[in-house]
Amino acid sequence: MVARRDDEFDDLAWQQRALCRGDHASSFYPPLHFERKDLRLTRERLAKSICAICPVKQACLEYALRTAEPHGIWGGLNELERRELTNRQS
Ligand code: SF4
């Protein structure tokens, strides 16, 4: 059991270097209320610009694909783009 917890910790260590931590975190997820398309596109564009320079982008995307993360921007892709990528790879 201990080894498994270590593995899980190592697996998520990349999150410590995530650029989305802090001030811009809200840009990576839709609000709880309705979001107009133009506002969603603007929010996602900001989030993706941060992902573009993030040092853990690949680890983040692989994690989101492996866990089928259903919401938000991960590794520079939104949920629809990740679903399309998964479908193309299967
Ligand atoms: S790639 Fe984007 S969502 Fe993933 S850790 Fe980096 S900034 Fe956050």
Side-chain angles (χ1 to χ4, degrees):
M1 292 297 276
V2 173
R4 183 167 184 194
R5 280 200 301 271
D6 288 346
D7 288 348
E8 288 171 2
F9 178 79
D10 288 345
D11 191 40
L12 297 178
W14 59 268
Q15 293 185 355
Q16 299 300 315
R17 298 193 297 139
L19 290 188
C20 52
R21 297 161 60 97
D23 291 347
H24 295 296
S26 62
S27 298
F28 288 78
Y29 290 96
L32 296 176
H33 56 77
F34 173 76
E35 182 179 40
R36 282 189 352 231
K37 182 178 180 180
D38 60 324
L39 295 178
R40 176 177 58 82
L41 292 175
T42 299
R43 176 181 57 75
E44 288 191 352
R45 204 173 303 125
L46 171 60
K48 289 178 178 182
S49 73
I50 296 169
C51 293
I53 58 170
C54 180
V56 294
K57 182 180 177 184
Q58 189 61 36
C60 174
L61 179 58
E62 289 172 6
Y63 173 81
L65 294 174
R66 188 168 64 251
T67 59
E69 185 59 46
H71 302 293
I73 304 290
W74 291 73
L77 300 181
N78 66 25
E79 54 272 20
L80 178 61
E81 294 163 337
R82 289 195 305 277
R83 220 174 301 135
E84 289 171 351
L85 180 59
T86 298
N87 290 340
R88 278 198 307 271
Q89 291 175 341
S90 59

